[in-house]
Amino acid sequence: VDATSFTHVRALLVNYPANCALFDKRDAMTLIEDIAWQSRCSLKVRGHTIYIRYLPEEPTSVTTITEDDVEQNSLQLTFTDTEEIVTKFTATYKPHYALPKPWSIVLRRNLAKYYINNYDRDFFIYNIKELVYKSATFWIIRKGNTYKKAVMKLFLNKLNLDIDDCVTLDFDTDYFSTGSIKGIVEQATYNSDSRSIDCVVWLPIVSGNMTADA
């Protein structure tokens, strides 16, 4: 693991104890990803090293992208898929292992706008209701809307970009937001044919808005 990122996130999660027991054998990487997701974290594997990031914390931008970094006529505005929207989130957990069945917390968001789209998730790492509620609330806010994405071809001066990096989009024209905006790189693929980088940046801006979602 990357000691720096894990030490940083450990301090942020000190108030959210995730002590649990496993009663079956699981794939190690799948289990690690599940624990991170329940803890509102993301993982990135680079080479043989795993990095972790606490998603509610505003990340530090590694670079700024301007018009000078983007190939002409390659900039596009797209959105996250509406098929992925969740409007009813059922979070299950057990306060203690003696219970035959888990307890449930049901959260709803944007039902009138997108109708019912169910999503169930077991928060087995927690036995405290408030911690389950906090994580489930974070995820239904993320999953209950469509967000903007910036799609572009970048010049090779941005070849060091990697998936999950935070970047700042600072364009002279307000294509995506009012002023500059931070986003997370979802794709940064070198295109040998055009000698450019196919880049997709997720933005924390709900479709129809021009400012970051609070």
Side-chain angles (χ1 to χ4, degrees):
V1 301
D2 172 64
T4 300
S5 64
F6 271 79
T7 300
H8 176 71
V9 172
R10 185 179 294 113
L12 297 174
L13 293 177
V14 69
N15 292 324
Y16 313 114
N19 303 312
C20 61
L22 298 176
F23 299 97
D24 55 358
K25 187 176 181 179
R26 306 190 185 190
D27 175 74
M29 198 64 213
T30 302
L31 174 63
I32 292 169
E33 291 174 344
D34 197 358
I35 292 173
W37 190 93
Q38 294 176 56
S39 304
R40 306 178 304 283
C41 295
S42 69
L43 297 177
K44 177 173 65 176
V45 180
R46 180 181 293 168
H48 296 285
T49 304
I50 298 178
Y51 298 78
I52 191 169
R53 181 165 63 88
Y54 184 53
L55 294 173
E57 181 184 40
E58 182 175 343
T60 301
S61 177
V62 300
T63 190
T64 298
I65 297 174
T66 67
E67 279 95 337
D68 292 338
D69 302 308
V70 182
E71 283 192 8
Q72 188 174 7
N73 299 325
S74 72
L75 192 62
Q76 302 176 53
L77 168 63
T78 64
F79 302 91
T80 55
D81 294 334
T82 55
E83 289 79 5
E84 298 176 358
I85 289 178
V86 172
T87 57
K88 183 182 177 183
F89 192 124
T90 301
T92 58
Y93 73 103
K94 283 188 174 183
H96 55 81
Y97 293 126
L99 288 175
K101 293 183 179 180
W103 291 4
S104 298
I105 297 174
V106 179
L107 302 177
R108 297 173 176 84
R109 185 177 179 85
N110 287 337
L111 279 173
K113 187 175 182 180
Y114 296 112
Y115 303 103
I116 296 179
N117 189 9
N118 297 306
Y119 186 80
D120 301 337
R121 195 69 179 245
D122 180 29
F123 285 80
F124 62 84
I125 69 170
Y126 294 129
N127 63 352
I128 300 173
K129 176 183 178 181
E130 288 74 17
L131 302 188
V132 178
Y133 183 82
K134 186 180 184 71
S135 281
T137 299
F138 171 84
W139 283 114
I140 197 172
I141 291 173
R142 279 282 184 101
K143 291 178 173 293
N145 288 296
T146 56
Y147 288 89
K148 293 182 178 181
K149 289 186 178 184
V151 179
M152 67 200 87
K153 287 184 178 295
L154 300 176
F155 296 121
L156 296 184
N157 63 316
K158 299 299 181 182
L159 191 59
N160 62 331
L161 283 181
D162 197 2
I163 293 174
D164 208 40
D165 281 347
C166 176
V167 297
T168 300
L169 303 187
D170 189 8
F171 298 124
D172 295 334
T173 302
D174 294 336
Y175 301 113
F176 308 101
S177 64
T178 303
S180 62
I181 185 70
K182 288 182 178 179
I184 302 298
V185 175
E186 289 190 338
Q187 176 186 335
T189 306
Y190 173 62
N191 189 324
S192 58
D193 293 333
S194 60
R195 293 184 59 80
S196 62
I197 304 159
D198 296 329
C199 184
V200 179
V201 179
W202 176 88
L203 302 173
I205 304 174
V206 175
S207 59
N209 295 345
M210 291 295 288
T211 56
D213 187 18

